[in-house]
Amino acid sequence: MDIKLKDFEGPLDLLLHLVSKYEMDIYDVPIVEVIEQYLAYISTLQAMRLEVAGEYMVMASQLMLIKSRKLLPKVVEETPLEEDPEQELLSQLEEYQRYKELSQELAAQHDIRARFFSKPKQELIYEDAELSHDKTTLDLYLAFSKVMAAKQEEIKNSHTTIERD
Amino acid sequence: MSYLAQMEALLFVAGEDGLSLRNLASLLDISAMAVSQQLEKLAEKYRMDQDSALCLLESSNTYKIVTKEEHAELLRQYAKAPINQSLSRASLEVLSIVAYKQPITRVEVDSIRGVNSSGAISKLQAFGLIQEVGKKDVIGRPNLYATTDYFLDYMGINSLDELVDASAIELVDQEMTLFSEDDI
């Protein structure tokens, strides 16, 4: 296994990947085939006793519902009781794909900005400066929490994990 | 004293916070028009001087003295300021959704991504890229999130209009292999 679930940002990302192999419009994709691939992929992972995030399971059950409904003959009703889950999923996929692309654009734009460096603001100190008591305990608490959160994130990202073969 | 020197002094001290046109105009007691002319001169001076590593950058409506981009590689080995660091894929996706759909709640972000986004949201908040901007009037009164001024600086733009037009995005496919041949 060279690719694991951690390479995907959730079930929509995985579905998008499966759909993208068909190289056609999302709405023209043979949905049952895609569903089968998704379920096969999830069960392969489970067989290997890998941790599968709950969200993938929720998606799997939605897909099973879509698939089982497609197998049943259409009952003509005067008013359709609920939305078509298949169409809903496809539009969700399309929207997710849009933001996935946009996030790449944002990253590229930030890369340009990241090429310019500057220095922190110089704290100037004067004898006659008056302290304007406009900060409270809460400000202090929030300021420190913010520093801690950013630091923890940094530490988390600097870890190296060794995978088992 | 030349205005250029005074401006340089102010911008140097302001550092990464930068100064707006209005700040500079009131400090130097000249019109905003005059300030932007002088700024252009200063920028030109830096541009022409091959022995200077500095240049002027305008982002988030403030002017900053920054290093020229050709020094990025050298400085990357040395500096690690938050603005020069890139984000994880998850954070980028959440940031994009907030940028284009603000104000937006966490649940709305979750439903677009199909995964829980709390982690990415608190991370982006800690970095100061997004902030809470009130509550949505629905059951549970969830927080609404929007981007900050720092986000503009992070992207090197002055307003959200300068972001890529969302409707102009071509939906292209990307190729990856799920299983390599010998795994199955």
Side-chain angles (χ1 to χ4, degrees), chain A residues 105-124:
Chain A
E105 295 283 344
L106 251 57
Q109 188 153 13
H110 167 250
D111 284 346
I112 299 168
R113 169 65 180 93
R115 298 186 65 77
F116 299 96
F117 291 80
S118 55
K119 43 176 277 306
K121 180 180 172 184
Q122 177 86 43
E123 292 295 346
L124 297 176

Side-chain angles (χ1 to χ4, degrees), chain B residues 70-124:
Chain B
E70 59 254 40
H71 305 292
E73 287 315 313
L74 171 70
L75 294 166
R76 190 159 296 158
Q77 296 162 23
Y78 175 77
K80 237 197 165 179
I83 198 141
N84 309 96
Q85 287 177 35
S86 46
L87 294 164
S88 68
R89 251 185 72 187
S91 298
L92 266 173
E93 280 181 13
V94 173
L95 186 59
S96 311
I97 294 169
V98 174
Y100 286 92
K101 300 202 77 155
Q102 58 186 306
I104 187 171
T105 65
R106 180 180 67 77
V107 175
E108 288 164 334
V109 175
D110 286 355
S111 77
I112 293 174
R113 293 185 62 231
V115 283
N116 185 308
S117 310
S118 336
I121 284 184
S122 42
K123 181 175 158 186
L124 290 168

Side-chain angles (χ1 to χ4, degrees), chain A residues 1 13 96 110 117 119, chain B residues 13 16 67 83 89 93 183:
Chain A
M1 281 291 287
D13 201 12
Y96 175 70
H110 167 250
F117 291 80
K119 43 176 277 306
Chain B
V13 168
E16 61 195 4
T67 56
I83 198 141
R89 251 185 72 187
E93 280 181 13
D183 286 332

Side-chain angles (χ1 to χ4, degrees), chain B residues 105-156:
Chain B
T105 65
R106 180 180 67 77
V107 175
E108 288 164 334
V109 175
D110 286 355
S111 77
I112 293 174
R113 293 185 62 231
V115 283
N116 185 308
S117 310
S118 336
I121 284 184
S122 42
K123 181 175 158 186
L124 290 168
Q125 269 184 292
F127 280 132
L129 287 162
I130 63 172
Q131 61 188 351
E132 289 170 21
V133 288
K135 305 266 187 199
K136 190 168 180 161
D137 246 335
V138 292
I139 293 172
R141 311 265 296 132
N143 287 325
L144 285 165
Y145 297 97
T147 52
T148 59
D149 284 348
Y150 176 67
F151 168 75
L152 296 176
D153 188 12
Y154 189 82
M155 301 304 297

Side-chain angles (χ1 to χ4, degrees), chain B residues 23-69:
Chain B
N23 288 150
L24 285 164
S26 73
L27 284 161
L28 296 168
D29 207 15
I30 52 176
S31 71
M33 180 70 88
V35 171
S36 47
Q37 277 175 357
Q38 295 295 324
L39 279 169
E40 190 43 54
K41 262 197 199 164
L42 186 61
E44 181 63 16
K45 179 174 163 272
Y46 285 141
R47 252 199 307 273
M48 301 316 292
D49 186 353
Q50 294 302 308
D51 293 328
S52 169
L54 304 176
C55 62
L56 273 190
L57 175 87
E58 182 194 357
S59 61
S60 189
N61 298 307
T62 56
Y63 293 87
K64 309 166 181 66
I65 289 180
V66 295
T67 56
K68 286 178 181 163
E69 54 182 325

